[in-house]
Amino acid sequence: MPAKNFADDLSATVLYALETTRAITICPFHSDLTIRVGDDAAESHAFERAKRIVRSDGANWEPKALREEIGRQLSEAADGTCPRCASR
């Protein structure tokens, strides 16, 4: 997804950074379920990547806002495996 499609939406920017650094993945069988991989380096890389995404007004996202949104998205993700797949 080109950066211009999500750069003005904080949630989408963070999701893009987390997915492209492989800090999270989407369950192949449950597209509505995000899985946290648990790779600290990938999560740090996602923060650095998101910091460098430029919004349409030429500004970058504030680091505090990025940290909070990354924390929110990671806390909502399942840890390690899809709970729906694991319960089968």
Side-chain angles (χ1 to χ4, degrees):
M1 174 186 318
K4 65 183 175 182
N5 292 340
F6 62 82
D8 289 329
D9 179 349
L10 177 61
S11 180
T13 297
V14 167
L15 181 62
Y16 168 80
L18 288 168
E19 285 180 332
T20 58
T21 58
R22 302 200 180 171
I24 61 169
T25 188
I26 306 300
C27 175
F29 304 107
H30 306 102
S31 61
D32 62 326
L33 210 142
T34 304
I35 302 166
R36 183 178 186 172
V37 175
D39 182 346
D40 292 339
E43 292 172 10
S44 295
H45 185 199
F47 174 72
E48 292 302 320
R49 179 169 287 177
K51 275 191 348 187
R52 287 169 177 72
I53 294 174
V54 179
R55 299 186 315 220
S56 63
D57 64 1
N60 294 87
W61 291 103
E62 290 295 320
K64 181 180 179 191
L66 288 172
R67 276 190 216 92
E68 289 173 356
E69 183 61 20
I70 286 173
R72 185 191 70 74
Q73 288 191 29
L74 289 175
S75 70
E76 290 179 358
D79 283 331
T81 60
C82 173
R84 289 189 222 157
C85 291
S87 68
R88 290 182 183 219

